[in-house]
């Protein structure tokens, strides 16, 4: 159904999507932000993680997912420039967005990040979705 401009109700979302839903989807759309949540879920929220450690994990995880460069990720200093770029993007873009959404606590002075309660729930859901995707891929491989 096409919206009728003279009818304001025809411009409302059909499925019940809201601006909050769009923002939630945007937060999880980036693989770096999903990697941040996965990594922080494996650590005690009372013990914040240094941003440098988080950047190393994100580089290794995203490069391991990218079959073309997964081997390079294991060479250490070969990806120093990539690590610096990821560290910068985490500090200035991804982590502040996650903090604004209430998923992580970010201390820019100490350069540390910790998972908040809402972030734990999202990380658990990401883990469930990843497990379902892996099971479906395994099933497709067997068939």
């Amino acid at each position: 159904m096409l919206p009728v401009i003279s009818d304001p109700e025809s411009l409302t979302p059909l499925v019940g999507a809201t601006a909050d839903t769009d923002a939630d989807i945007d937060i999880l759309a980036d693989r770096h932000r999903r990697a941040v949540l996965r990594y922080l879920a494996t650590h005690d929220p009372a013990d914040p993680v240094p941003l440098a450690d988080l950047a190393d994990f994100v580089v290794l995880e995203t490069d391991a997912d990218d079959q073309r460069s997964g081997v390079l990720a294991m060479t250490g200093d070969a990806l120093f420039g990539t690590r610096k770029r990821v560290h910068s993007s985490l500090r200035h873009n991804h982590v502040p967005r996650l903090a604004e959404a209430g998923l992580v606590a970010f201390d820019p002075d100490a350069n540390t990040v910790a998972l908040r309660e809402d972030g734990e729930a999202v990380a658990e859901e990401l883990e469930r979705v990843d497990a379902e995707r892996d099971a479906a891929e395994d099933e497709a491989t067997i068939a």
Side-chain angles (χ1 to χ4, degrees), residues 34-134:
R34 291 190 309 269
V36 166
L37 293 174
R38 276 191 212 98
Y39 184 73
L40 293 175
T42 64
H43 290 79
D44 181 8
D47 188 23
V49 174
L51 196 58
D53 292 353
L54 187 57
D56 286 345
F57 172 79
V58 170
V59 167
L60 293 174
E61 181 179 88
T62 56
D63 281 343
D65 289 343
D66 183 1
Q67 303 212 353
R68 294 169 293 147
S69 61
V71 174
L72 286 177
M74 301 305 165
T75 62
D77 290 339
L79 290 180
F80 182 70
T82 301
R83 285 185 173 138
K84 285 180 70 172
R85 282 189 300 278
V86 168
H87 184 278
S88 180
S89 72
L90 288 176
R91 181 161 187 4
H92 298 289
N93 180 15
H94 302 301
V95 172
R97 282 185 175 198
L98 290 167
E100 186 177 307
L103 301 177
V104 301
F106 176 46
D107 182 349
D109 295 328
N111 250 356
T112 58
V113 184
L115 198 60
R116 289 188 166 180
E117 191 173 317
D118 287 347
E120 289 178 35
V122 171
E124 288 173 11
E125 186 63 20
L126 284 174
E127 185 176 322
R128 184 190 65 75
V129 168
D130 287 344
E132 287 178 7
R133 185 191 65 227
D134 291 345

